[in-house]
Amino acid sequence: MTRIVFVVALLFTARWQAAEIVEVKDRGPVDLAPFNCQDVTRSSVISRVCYDREGRRMLVQRRAAYQQYCDVPKDTIDAFVNAPSMGRYFNATIETAGREGNRPYDCRPGKVPSYQ
């Protein structure tokens, strides 16, 4: 009887972690197990930021869609999450930089060379 009580107590105190898989634009399904995710409530543009420190990958949820960014240093993530305006920081440092051709956080295996 003591064993049953012990097992039941373990079941009610154990933390269950369900696997979370999200659909990422231009990538498909991504398991969030290696990521540390933060829900964002103070931005009208960014809903969630997930970062895989070992893989240096960042997922950003905007308007219910996730996008992936690669080779993102930890200090860039820290500055992004702590910026007075996350949307402005994201557009100026991550998104706009990619539009100008250098695409510093592009996840494609072969980056498009610049012929300037």
Side-chain angles (χ1 to χ4, degrees), residues 52-71:
D52 171 12
R53 186 179 201 139
E54 185 177 320
R56 292 172 45 115
R57 293 181 300 155
M58 175 177 69
L59 299 178
V60 176
Q61 183 183 28
R62 297 184 308 153
R63 298 176 193 91
Y66 282 90
Q67 291 181 304
Q68 179 174 258
Y69 301 90
C70 295
D71 250 355

Side-chain angles (χ1 to χ4, degrees), residues 25-79:
K25 182 180 177 184
D26 299 328
R27 172 77 167 88
V30 173
D31 185 359
L32 294 181
F35 290 87
N36 178 19
C37 295
Q38 296 179 21
D39 291 329
V40 177
T41 57
R42 64 183 185 87
S43 174
S44 61
V45 177
I46 310 296
S47 305
R48 193 173 194 197
V49 177
C50 300
Y51 185 63
D52 171 12
R53 186 179 201 139
E54 185 177 320
R56 292 172 45 115
R57 293 181 300 155
M58 175 177 69
L59 299 178
V60 176
Q61 183 183 28
R62 297 184 308 153
R63 298 176 193 91
Y66 282 90
Q67 291 181 304
Q68 179 174 258
Y69 301 90
C70 295
D71 250 355
V72 183
K74 177 72 169 107
D75 60 335
T76 300
I77 296 296
D78 293 339

